[in-house]
């Protein structure tokens, strides 16, 4: 009974979200509350929620202060050199823009925090997508999938959880997986290339008003600087008119046939992209913004390196590190009280959205765990594995990691399900190390799970509906996970 209710609750949640019948935060609260009553345990709902909130409170604190800290670092210009390099690579070519999104997300993901990755990636790329009229779900899908592959870093969370749950060394799990993860990342770049070509065919190559449409892809260098300016705040001229788009890249379009796309005639859709919208209000990384602190650049860089080092070395709990880092960065960069209030207010929307989503997710996970649904679901799945698959439990673990890490929190999967899978594998001579490595392959899909708070930073800043993001991303993220699994088996890692 609980197994059926658990799967029904998850299915109901996903259907309502993707059909846009409920907002994620309302669905995360109301649907589990209703199914808790169906399970005959409505009287214990308060206990389940309080327990769930208690477990996720440190995550909420970490995300709140991580958003403030890295938001300040974006404000003061710490990441501007990386962003400028990516934007120069992108030029005016939609294919390069999509590939640049994947590269930027992968680089920033080295810090191990998804919220940071999405804040920096969207801040840099969103204005460029809008100017070119590219699909915003392509941006969110590529960024989330790239971050999912990189999320397997030992300080990113899943590897440490697997090591703790099975009493293994994190390095023994992660280091042999590097070749398979590298293949997965290369696949993400290849996917970005293909999606970029599709966007290029759809919107063509862009030239700003008053310029001749490029005759070939090399000619886009002539409009490169204008596009970088448009993506980082723009000028009065670029903000007042839409771009001019040449024909599809299958052949150069004559300048006289180029069509002007105006904000009044372009609309945002989930899969066909959004037209240029200068009135959008998202200014991106303005190179002349008053919050820049060039004289403090090396202080901020040193502080960030020290913060990441302390995270990796586990000198203090991560929420405490971000709390201290945010307070210090705010005090040094903005010593005047009105400036400090302005910076906190500037990031309040993201903080409130993410913190609210974390506590709403606490209701969902609290009911799943407290009622025993998640245990019954896991036992049913493990029991459904044919006896003949016992010697192949590493492959089974890799395949199960896709749906289970999507529908469950990482804590629930790694501490609740993984030990059961490892025990079943041990009975057939499968090493716990192989089981642990296989458990990491689902992370590319996990990063788009409705239970991951960082994904709401991504879709919120990109102004994309969560249902649209889910419909577009899930298939590509699942394929990426399968590529990592296949590479691990080919290399003999899994």
């Amino acid at each position: 009974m609980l197994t059926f209710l658990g799967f029904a609750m998850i299915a109901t949640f996903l259907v309502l979200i993707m059909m846009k019948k409920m907002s994620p935060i309302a669905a995360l609260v109301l649907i589990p509350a209703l199914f808790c009553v169906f399970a005959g345990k409505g009287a214990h709902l308060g206990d389940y929620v309080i327990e769930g909130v208690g477990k996720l409170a440190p995550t909420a604190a970490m995300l709140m202060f991580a958003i403030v800290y890295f938001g300040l670092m974006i404000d003061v210009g710490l990441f501007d050199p990386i962003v400028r390099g990516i934007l120069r690579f992108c030029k005016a070519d939609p294919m390069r823009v999509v590939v640049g999104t994947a590269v930027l997300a992968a680089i920033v993901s080295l810090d191990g925090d998804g919220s940071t990755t999405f804040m920096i990636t969207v801040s840099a790329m969103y204005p460029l997508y809008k100017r070119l009229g590219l699909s915003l779900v392509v941006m969110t899908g590529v960024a989330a999938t790239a971050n999912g592959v990189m999320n397997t870093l030992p300080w990113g969370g899943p590897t440490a959880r697997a090591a703790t749950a099975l009493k293994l060394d994190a390095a023994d799990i992660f280091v042999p997986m590097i070749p398979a993860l590298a293949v997965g990342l290369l696949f993400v770049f290849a996917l970005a290339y293909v999606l970029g070509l599709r966007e290029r065919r759809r919107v063509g190559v862009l030239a700003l008003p008053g310029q001749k449409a490029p005759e070939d892809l090399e000619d886009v260098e002539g409009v490169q600087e204008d596009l970088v300016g448009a993506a980082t705040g723009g000028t009065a001229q670029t903000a007042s008119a839409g771009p001019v788009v040449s024909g599809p890249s299958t052949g150069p379009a004559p300048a006289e046939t180029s069509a002007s796309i105006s904000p009044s005639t372009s609309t945002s859709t989930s899969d066909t992209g959004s037209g240029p919208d200068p009135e959008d209000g998202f200014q991106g990384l303005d190179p002349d913004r008053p919050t820049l602190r060039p004289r403090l650049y090396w202080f901020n860089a040193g502080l960030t390196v020290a913060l990441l080092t302390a995270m990796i070395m586990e000198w203090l709990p991560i929420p405490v590190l971000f709390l201290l880092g945010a307070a210090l960065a705010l005090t040094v960069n903005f010593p005047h009280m009105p400036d400090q209030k302005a910076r906190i207010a500037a990031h309040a929307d993201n903080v409130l959205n993410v913190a609210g989503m974390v506590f709403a997710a606490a209701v969902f996970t609290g009911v799943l765990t407290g009622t025993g649904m998640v245990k019954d679901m896991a036992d049913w799945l493990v029991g459904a594995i044919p006896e003949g698959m016992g010697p192949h439990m590493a492959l089974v673990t890799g395949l199960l990691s896709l749906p289970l890490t999507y529908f469950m929190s990482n804590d629930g999967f790694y501490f609740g399900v993984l030990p059961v899978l490892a025990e079943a594998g041990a009975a057939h001579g499968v090493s716990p190390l192989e089981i642990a490595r296989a458990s990491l392959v689902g992370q590319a899909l996990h990063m788009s799970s409705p239970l991951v708070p960082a994904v709401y930073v991504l879709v919120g800043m990109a102004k994309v509906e969560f249902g649209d993001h889910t419909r577009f991303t899930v298939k590509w993220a699942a394929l990426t996970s399968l590529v990592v699994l296949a590479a691990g088996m080919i290399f003999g890692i899994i």
Side-chain angles (χ1 to χ4, degrees):
M1 180 64 175
L2 287 177
T3 301
F4 170 77
L5 286 176
F7 283 115
M9 183 174 83
I10 291 169
T12 302
F13 170 78
L14 289 175
V15 168
L16 291 176
I17 289 297
M18 289 192 285
M19 293 181 66
K20 303 180 184 178
K21 298 297 184 183
M22 293 184 74
S23 67
I25 193 168
L28 283 168
V29 173
L30 297 179
I31 292 173
L34 182 63
F35 274 85
C36 184
V37 174
F38 289 163
K41 300 189 178 183
H44 301 286
L45 177 61
D47 295 334
Y48 299 153
V49 172
I50 293 299
E51 184 179 356
V53 168
K55 289 180 178 178
L56 290 181
T59 300
M62 183 272 289
L63 289 172
M64 287 172 61
F65 291 104
I67 289 171
V68 172
Y69 179 83
F70 284 105
L72 290 171
M73 292 299 105
I74 293 171
D75 292 339
V76 301
L78 177 63
F79 303 105
D80 281 20
I82 297 175
V83 171
R84 280 195 296 268
I86 296 293
L87 292 177
R88 288 194 179 96
F89 164 79
C90 293
K91 301 182 180 178
D93 182 5
M95 182 273 290
R96 291 186 179 220
V97 172
V98 179
V99 173
T101 302
V103 172
L104 180 59
I107 292 173
V108 183
S109 294
L110 289 170
D111 74 345
D113 177 51
S115 297
T116 305
T117 298
F118 298 146
M119 288 173 65
I120 295 171
T121 302
V122 176
S123 295
M125 305 306 295
Y126 177 94
L128 195 54
Y129 274 76
K130 295 295 285 185
R131 296 289 176 180
L132 290 167
L134 303 182
S135 172
L136 293 174
V137 292
V138 170
M139 176 180 69
T140 61
V142 167
T145 306
N147 178 252
V149 175
M150 298 296 290
N151 192 47
T152 53
L153 292 167
W155 53 90
T159 302
R161 288 180 174 91
T164 302
L166 300 184
K167 297 179 174 58
L168 301 170
D169 187 272
D172 292 337
I173 298 173
F174 175 75
V175 174
M177 278 293 290
I178 290 176
L181 295 172
V183 171
L185 192 58
L186 288 175
F187 178 79
V188 174
F189 294 154
L191 173 64
Y193 176 78
V194 172
L195 294 175
L197 288 179
R198 188 175 74 176
E199 288 297 284
R200 182 199 286 171
R201 286 193 297 269
R202 185 175 63 81
V203 304
V205 179
L206 181 144
L208 294 174
Q211 293 176 320
K212 183 180 178 181
E215 291 299 321
D216 56 48
L217 291 181
E218 294 302 319
D219 291 340
V220 298
E221 294 186 14
V223 297
Q224 171 185 346
E225 294 302 323
D226 288 323
L227 274 176
V228 172
T232 56
T235 63
Q237 180 180 358
T238 60
S240 63
V244 176
V245 181
S246 74
S249 62
T250 52
E256 64 269 21
T257 63
S258 297
S260 177
I261 299 178
S262 65
S264 62
T265 60
S266 61
T267 58
S268 177
T269 62
S270 62
D271 290 314
T272 59
S274 56
D277 187 3
E279 302 302 323
D280 186 78
F282 192 109
Q283 295 301 314
L285 298 179
D286 184 349
D288 299 316
R289 58 192 184 277
T291 58
L292 289 177
R293 297 293 185 269
R295 294 183 179 179
L296 293 172
Y297 183 86
W298 292 112
F299 166 79
N300 290 314
L303 178 61
T304 302
V305 170
L307 181 62
L308 297 179
T309 301
M311 287 171 54
I312 295 169
M313 302 300 294
E314 299 180 350
W315 290 339
L316 286 173
I318 294 178
V320 176
L321 289 172
F322 275 119
L323 193 157
L324 294 173
L328 182 58
L330 187 65
T331 302
V332 173
N333 287 283
F334 302 96
H336 302 295
M337 187 66 68
D339 293 335
Q340 293 182 7
K341 291 181 177 179
R343 287 302 90 212
I344 293 174
H347 301 292
D349 282 350
N350 285 333
V351 170
L352 180 60
N353 287 337
V354 172
M357 206 63 65
V358 170
F359 291 120
V363 180
F364 196 94
T365 57
V367 169
L368 266 180
T369 304
T371 58
M373 290 181 189
V374 70
K375 182 180 183 303
D376 281 20
M377 291 164 64
D379 290 344
W380 179 83
L381 285 171
V382 173
I385 300 171
E387 187 68 24
M389 291 297 293
H392 307 288
M393 279 303 296
L395 172 62
V396 171
T397 300
L399 293 174
L400 287 179
S401 72
L402 273 71
L404 291 183
T405 57
Y406 185 80
F407 295 130
M408 299 170 60
S409 68
N410 269 342
D411 284 340
F413 174 72
Y414 286 103
F415 295 118
V417 178
L418 188 61
V420 177
L421 294 172
E423 184 177 346
H428 294 275
V430 180
S431 166
L433 275 173
E434 293 184 50
I435 300 292
R437 292 166 190 160
S439 71
L440 300 178
V441 305
Q443 289 303 305
L445 179 59
H446 170 75
M447 284 310 298
S448 289
S449 166
L451 300 180
V452 174
V455 75
Y456 297 104
V457 176
L458 175 64
V459 298
M461 292 185 67
K463 299 181 175 65
V464 169
E465 290 290 340
F466 181 80
D468 295 337
H469 169 78
T470 299
R471 280 196 299 271
F472 177 84
T473 306
V474 163
K475 57 183 178 292
W476 301 120
L479 184 57
T480 302
S481 294
L482 292 175
V483 167
V484 174
L485 178 59
M489 296 184 68
I490 292 172
F491 294 145
I493 302 167
I494 297 174

